[in-house]
Amino acid sequence: EPEVTQTPSHQVTQMGQEVILRCVPISNHLYFYWYRQILGQKVEFLVSFYNNEISEKSEIFDDQFSVERPDGSNFTLKIRSTKLEDSAMYFCASSEAPIPDYGYTFGSGTRLTVV
Amino acid sequence: SQKIEQNSEALNIQEGKTATLTCNYTNYSPAYLQWYRQDPGRGPVFLLLIRENEKEKRKERLKVTFDTTLKQSLFHITASQPADSATYLCAPYGGAGGSYIPTFGRGTSLIVHP
């Protein structure tokens, strides 16, 4: 069964450093998303991406964050100047349509720890 | 502002019984509602999508209802098994004035005892 692949599975970074989280969405999907989940809290939407541009973003997704699809397969989330409160699980998801009958397919996540 | 409420207390049931989980939402009228399963340290896994014009949807042992008057969705697992133990998330979205990005509730933890 096709899956969304995220790397690395765990990233530890110093406060103030930049990190890039990587995702390979399902190949025939056109819509891509980043969500995050702080430990013990709910899954929160960050950004959606379609046709090489951001289609929607939440209040969390400020100037510190950026997304990119550098080639035909990868989808990345960059966090500039990380803060302690950026520590969370970051999930990438993809879908074939904006309102997909089969929902979003999520990756297993990258656990980001900012120290 | 839009609010999604799922029972924060874990639901403990015996194997073979039916589990019923509740999702209430306020201050908006979503046109769609998804249910996901999440295991510890893993990403959500899609289970079912129900539309506002569908009262009920079934998939194997799962059943979802969507009551737009009560602003509530119920998620049922019949003949529950210990392997069904997980956190279940509801995600309403769409509708007039609403975003078409699913917004997740905090989830309800289900524990099925053998």
Side-chain angles (χ1 to χ4, degrees):
Chain A
E1 188 170 323
E3 56 181 34
V4 173
T5 305
Q6 289 188 246
T7 54
S9 57
H10 192 182
Q11 172 103 38
V12 181
T13 190
Q14 294 265 341
M15 191 169 55
Q17 295 296 304
E18 174 183 287
V19 294
I20 297 176
L21 310 183
R22 291 183 166 80
C23 169
V24 179
I26 291 174
S27 59
N28 65 334
H29 284 186
L30 301 175
Y31 298 81
F32 314 117
Y33 314 87
W34 284 101
Y35 283 78
R36 79 171 185 191
Q37 186 173 31
I38 295 170
L39 188 63
Q41 299 191 25
K42 64 181 181 179
V43 177
E44 300 175 291
F45 168 70
L46 293 178
V47 66
S48 62
F49 192 84
Y50 169 70
N51 201 25
N52 276 323
E53 59 183 32
I54 291 173
S55 44
E56 195 165 339
K57 60 183 181 180
S58 71
E59 292 176 353
I60 303 168
F61 193 88
D62 59 20
D63 292 343
Q64 179 195 12
F65 294 90
S66 63
V67 289
E68 194 177 35
R69 187 154 164 81
D71 53 44
S73 60
N74 290 284
F75 179 50
T76 62
L77 174 69
K78 182 189 291 185
I79 310 175
R80 285 182 280 275
S81 190
T82 49
K83 300 178 279 202
L84 294 176
E85 54 264 39
D86 294 328
S87 295
M89 278 287 276
Y90 288 80
F91 294 110
C92 173
S94 68
S95 66
E96 56 189 2
I99 306 172
D101 285 339
Y102 297 104
Y104 291 6
T105 303
F106 282 80
S108 294
T110 293
R111 180 171 298 283
L112 177 65
T113 304
V114 183
V115 297
Chain B
S1 62
Q2 297 174 357
K3 197 173 176 184
I4 303 162
E5 291 181 356
Q6 293 187 257
N7 197 336
S8 57
E9 286 186 20
L11 177 63
N12 285 272
I13 64 168
Q14 285 299 123
E15 183 174 9
K17 300 292 187 185
T18 296
T20 298
L21 307 176
T22 305
C23 174
N24 295 298
Y25 53 90
T26 53
N27 298 329
Y28 70 133
S29 298
Y32 310 89
L33 196 147
Q34 296 181 5
W35 281 90
Y36 287 79
R37 168 186 174 137
Q38 187 176 28
D39 291 286
R42 309 287 292 179
V45 175
F46 173 75
L47 297 174
L48 280 167
L49 162 72
I50 189 165
R51 294 173 167 79
E52 62 180 341
N53 61 348
E54 298 172 318
K55 296 298 181 193
E56 182 180 295
K57 200 94 171 262
R58 291 176 185 260
K59 178 184 173 184
E60 298 171 355
R61 294 185 294 113
L62 310 180
K63 184 178 86 171
V64 170
T65 63
F66 194 5
D67 190 323
T68 55
T69 302
L70 290 179
K71 292 185 179 293
Q72 179 182 82
S73 175
L74 298 179
F75 177 82
H76 307 270
I77 306 175
T78 57
S80 59
Q81 304 163 2
D84 294 327
S85 299
T87 297
Y88 291 86
L89 314 176
C90 75
Y93 61 107
S99 166
Y100 278 81
I101 301 293
T103 301
F104 287 89
R106 291 182 68 100
T108 297
S109 174
L110 172 67
I111 303 168
V112 182
H113 299 276

